Amino acid sequence: MRSWLALSAAALWLLPAILCAGEPPVSYSKLCVTCGILGADSIGSVSGQFVVHGSTLPLPRFLQQSNPGQGDYLELIPQTVAITAERVKRALVDEFEIPNLFQQKVHVVLLPRAPPEQPVTIVSHLYRDQVVFQIGMPVRMDHTRFVNALVQVLLSDFASLGSHRVPELPTWLVEGLTQHL
């Protein structure tokens, strides 16, 4: 009887590992050495290209949308942003019928106190051997602006392959691909 209980306890302890065996690993940290962000939850995407910084806890009540009829905003959390970024990248690869050549790191910083209408900021940091993109966006925002920022960064990554500069992309290209996807 005692060995059966020990075996049952071991099986319960291993159950999450067995259930998640097919899932790809995702990294988690409270410190991002590249960005210098300390204290925010940092979630890495499956490919490792995207690192999303923000709180994994729900928004405090005073930051939540008070009147739901005013606009339809997404409430972004790091885990879903990392998954969505990978899906947008996959959609671009499939659309252009190209191999997955995206390689530059993309850090997405979710800003909980920013109003939904605040512009999304995209900064590219040029290093000797790589380009690191950083996107700052509100935690609550319109889904089109969210996908637009991801498309712009991914196209910038693709356009900068083999060079040490990031070219300026035409607005019509980014907006057109965002609407198409």
Side-chain angles (χ1 to χ4, degrees):
M1 179 76 165
R2 186 173 210 157
S3 63
W4 184 81
L5 286 174
L7 184 60
S8 297
L12 285 176
W13 184 76
L14 289 173
L15 187 61
I18 292 168
L19 291 176
C20 296
E23 296 288 319
V26 176
S27 62
Y28 170 81
S29 174
K30 282 285 203 183
L31 169 68
C32 179
V33 179
T34 305
C35 295
I37 295 176
L38 174 64
D41 296 322
S42 297
I43 305 292
S45 68
V46 173
S47 69
Q49 181 178 11
F50 301 96
V51 180
V52 185
H53 309 288
S55 177
T56 55
L57 301 173
L59 280 176
R61 186 171 295 262
F62 70 92
L63 290 176
Q64 291 179 0
Q65 189 171 354
S66 58
N67 187 356
Q70 286 183 331
D72 294 325
Y73 297 120
L74 298 174
E75 184 176 324
L76 304 176
I77 57 173
Q79 296 92 330
T80 57
V81 171
I83 292 167
T84 304
E86 289 289 342
R87 289 181 179 173
V88 169
K89 178 173 74 169
R90 170 59 37 206
L92 284 175
V93 166
D94 292 345
E95 183 63 31
F96 290 134
E97 298 177 357
I98 57 172
N100 186 358
L101 299 174
F102 301 101
Q103 58 191 5
Q104 306 302 339
K105 285 280 190 188
V106 178
H107 291 258
V108 180
V109 181
L110 300 177
L111 308 168
R113 296 188 185 268
E117 299 80 24
Q118 177 172 323
V120 175
T121 57
I122 299 174
V123 178
S124 54
H125 301 279
L126 303 173
Y127 298 101
R128 186 179 330 160
D129 58 343
Q130 68 177 347
V131 178
V132 176
F133 295 98
Q134 188 173 23
I135 307 172
M137 60 178 57
V139 169
R140 288 181 43 240
M141 67 183 302
D142 179 60
H143 72 280
T144 304
R145 289 180 49 227
F146 171 60
V147 175
N148 190 317
L150 294 174
V151 167
Q152 183 174 351
V153 166
L154 288 167
L155 286 177
S156 295
D157 178 12
F158 187 71
S160 66
L161 284 175
S163 71
H164 292 291
R165 65 181 198 89
V166 180
E168 187 71 29
L169 298 173
T171 305
W172 60 265
L173 176 63
V174 176
E175 290 180 3
L177 272 173
T178 300
Q179 293 300 321
H180 183 70
L181 295 177

